[in-house]
Amino acid sequence: QSSKFTMRFSVLLTFSILSGTLAIGQVDTTCTSFINNIIVEKQDTAKIYYVDSIIYFRRLSNLKRLINKGTFSQTHNGVTLSEITLTNQEREHIIQSLNTQKNKKWADSLFPNSETILTKYFITKAIELNKPYYSGKTLKHKYTWHFTMPIFFRNNNFAFIQYVYLCGNSCGEEVVAFYKQIDGQWEEWLVIAG
């Protein structure tokens, strides 16, 4: 009896690992660290403002349509710099993961020195913070962030994410990108929209 339970549990655990449905607690540290690295590249982390919703419902259909293309490449002067072709299973995994993010909210204090803001105040907060400042001789901005949960695949060597950062009503960017782990570090590898 016990061996049947162990076998069923092992099969269920294996399925959970393969389908990416492990406990959120384990994923949270990986996700927040991943996102924090993106934020650190764009701004100082004295105070991070981020939107509570993980995914905008209006963006979900656009992201799914984009992922269904399956093959993405980035070229410069006719030379392919990076390219990825998603398998059907990878496309399904990313779309399913996006669907599960649809009605979820980020926790408060996701990062040290951070503040959650309601989605409806995303642009308002960005305008309020739009006070560029100098750090040494470099002009910097404070951003308001919105990001999906990164979706890891290919043995956690690749990740898909969409994020938006605003520093006013005419300053900021939306990025949809694949990241790749190179020498133990996550690097923006292929921007597919932004």
Side-chain angles (χ1 to χ4, degrees):
Q1 182 104 13
S2 151
S3 66
K4 284 184 181 179
F5 172 77
T6 303
M7 186 168 177
R8 283 186 196 152
F9 178 76
S10 296
V11 169
L12 180 61
L13 180 61
T14 302
F15 176 76
S16 295
I17 291 169
L18 292 174
S19 65
T21 58
L22 281 175
I24 295 298
Q26 183 181 6
V27 175
D28 277 354
T29 304
T30 304
C31 289
T32 55
S33 175
F34 182 93
I35 294 166
N36 192 59
N37 288 337
I38 292 172
I39 293 171
V40 167
E41 288 180 13
K42 309 283 184 202
Q43 75 170 55
D44 68 57
T45 55
K47 186 73 169 187
I48 299 170
Y49 298 92
Y50 63 96
V51 173
D52 63 346
S53 64
I54 293 179
I55 194 165
Y56 286 139
F57 69 93
R58 292 186 307 257
R59 300 235 191 274
L60 181 59
S61 60
N62 292 340
L63 290 173
K64 291 193 301 190
R65 191 172 26 258
L66 190 60
I67 287 300
N68 272 322
K69 289 182 180 178
T71 297
F72 308 93
S73 63
Q74 192 168 359
T75 60
H76 180 70
N77 294 332
V79 176
T80 300
L81 302 175
S82 48
E83 181 176 38
I84 189 168
T85 299
L86 299 173
T87 66
N88 289 338
Q89 186 178 13
E90 289 169 340
R91 284 198 316 250
E92 288 172 14
H93 168 67
I94 292 170
I95 288 170
Q96 181 183 16
S97 296
L98 288 169
N99 283 331
T100 63
Q101 295 180 35
K102 183 170 57 174
N103 297 315
K104 293 191 177 173
K105 303 273 186 201
W106 288 111
D108 290 335
S109 302
L110 203 55
F111 313 101
N113 301 315
S114 65
E115 183 179 318
T116 309
I117 57 175
L118 296 174
T119 303
K120 65 183 180 179
Y121 298 122
F122 184 34
I123 294 174
T124 306
K125 189 67 170 181
I127 293 169
E128 176 188 318
L129 293 173
N130 190 12
K131 296 175 180 84
Y133 64 97
Y134 281 93
S135 176
K137 293 182 180 184
T138 306
L139 182 65
K140 297 205 172 196
H141 295 275
K142 288 198 180 289
Y143 296 112
T144 306
W145 292 84
H146 172 265
F147 34 79
T148 61
M149 189 177 295
I151 300 165
F152 302 99
F153 62 103
R154 294 191 184 171
N155 296 320
N156 292 331
N157 289 310
F158 285 86
F160 171 81
I161 191 168
Q162 178 258 350
Y163 62 91
V164 179
Y165 59 97
L166 298 178
C167 55
N169 55 357
S170 61
C171 172
E173 184 177 16
E174 176 182 14
V175 176
V176 181
F178 289 101
Y179 278 70
K180 183 177 182 180
Q181 216 175 100
I182 299 172
D183 297 327
Q185 300 294 315
W186 284 104
E187 295 185 19
E188 187 177 78
W189 186 63
L190 178 62
V191 175
I192 60 175

